[in-house]
Amino acid sequence: MTQTAAPITSTYLKVIDRNFSVILKNLKDVSHEQSLIPYMQGGSHLNWLMGHLTHSRCGILRTLGTEAPWSEERGKRYGKGSTAATAGDAEPLTELIEAYKATQPLIEQAAARLTEADLERESGGSTVGARFEFLVWHESYHSGQTTLYRRMAGHGRVIP
């Protein structure tokens, strides 16, 4: 008997694809300098957020058994609770966008192979399925933030 991909992954992938599209639309015409405008004093900015999303996606790729573009060490500066880089040490926005884009086909390919048994497998005190579901929620949450950062940078609204 051949195992087939779990049906829920199709739903997750639709949401991830929609988030991906919205995030990239919100980044259109935003300069590196504009990506460093913090939401509030001492808060994060769009530049950090793009690294954070890439770091998060790399984590799920490792969970799904796929090699990630960034190592865990590489993404630490964008982990939960980290401090956003200052203008002098921030990575170029264009490089962060390219790293984020590079994760999309890898997630699509890895998720297409997932079976129900894979989703139920234990992973870091949870299950692969729960961690994948969290990625979907997490990215949806942050995709809305990209709209705010876009507007703070002086750009108009985009239609998803």
Side-chain angles (χ1 to χ4, degrees), residues 56-114:
S56 178
R57 281 173 162 235
C58 287
I60 198 66
L61 284 167
R62 286 188 288 278
T63 297
L64 299 178
T66 300
E67 191 168 326
W70 283 3
S71 68
E72 184 71 31
E73 184 63 31
R74 165 72 180 79
K76 271 188 180 175
R77 71 186 291 186
Y78 300 107
K80 181 181 178 182
S82 63
T83 302
T86 61
D89 66 350
E91 294 185 65
L93 180 63
T94 54
E95 290 179 20
L96 294 172
I97 293 170
E98 289 308 310
Y100 176 74
K101 285 180 179 179
T103 64
Q104 185 69 11
L106 299 173
I107 288 174
E108 290 172 356
Q109 292 161 10
R113 293 188 301 267
L114 287 174

Side-chain angles (χ1 to χ4, degrees), residues 15-134:
V15 176
I16 288 171
D17 186 56
R18 187 175 300 124
N19 289 342
F20 183 75
S21 176
V22 166
I23 289 166
L24 292 181
K25 284 178 183 176
N26 281 327
L27 291 167
K28 187 175 181 349
D29 301 324
V30 175
S31 70
H32 174 73
E33 292 73 23
Q34 291 169 330
S35 80
L36 298 172
I37 299 170
Y39 179 67
M40 62 181 157
Q41 178 107 17
S44 66
H45 44 61
L46 184 57
N47 184 283
W48 177 87
L49 182 59
M50 291 313 300
H52 180 67
L53 290 172
T54 301
H55 173 61
S56 178
R57 281 173 162 235
C58 287
I60 198 66
L61 284 167
R62 286 188 288 278
T63 297
L64 299 178
T66 300
E67 191 168 326
W70 283 3
S71 68
E72 184 71 31
E73 184 63 31
R74 165 72 180 79
K76 271 188 180 175
R77 71 186 291 186
Y78 300 107
K80 181 181 178 182
S82 63
T83 302
T86 61
D89 66 350
E91 294 185 65
L93 180 63
T94 54
E95 290 179 20
L96 294 172
I97 293 170
E98 289 308 310
Y100 176 74
K101 285 180 179 179
T103 64
Q104 185 69 11
L106 299 173
I107 288 174
E108 290 172 356
Q109 292 161 10
R113 293 188 301 267
L114 287 174
T115 64
E116 292 292 340
D118 292 329
L119 292 173
E120 294 170 9
R121 191 176 70 243
E122 193 277 327
S123 175
S126 186
T127 64
V128 169
R131 292 186 71 186
F132 193 33
E133 184 273 332
F134 179 80

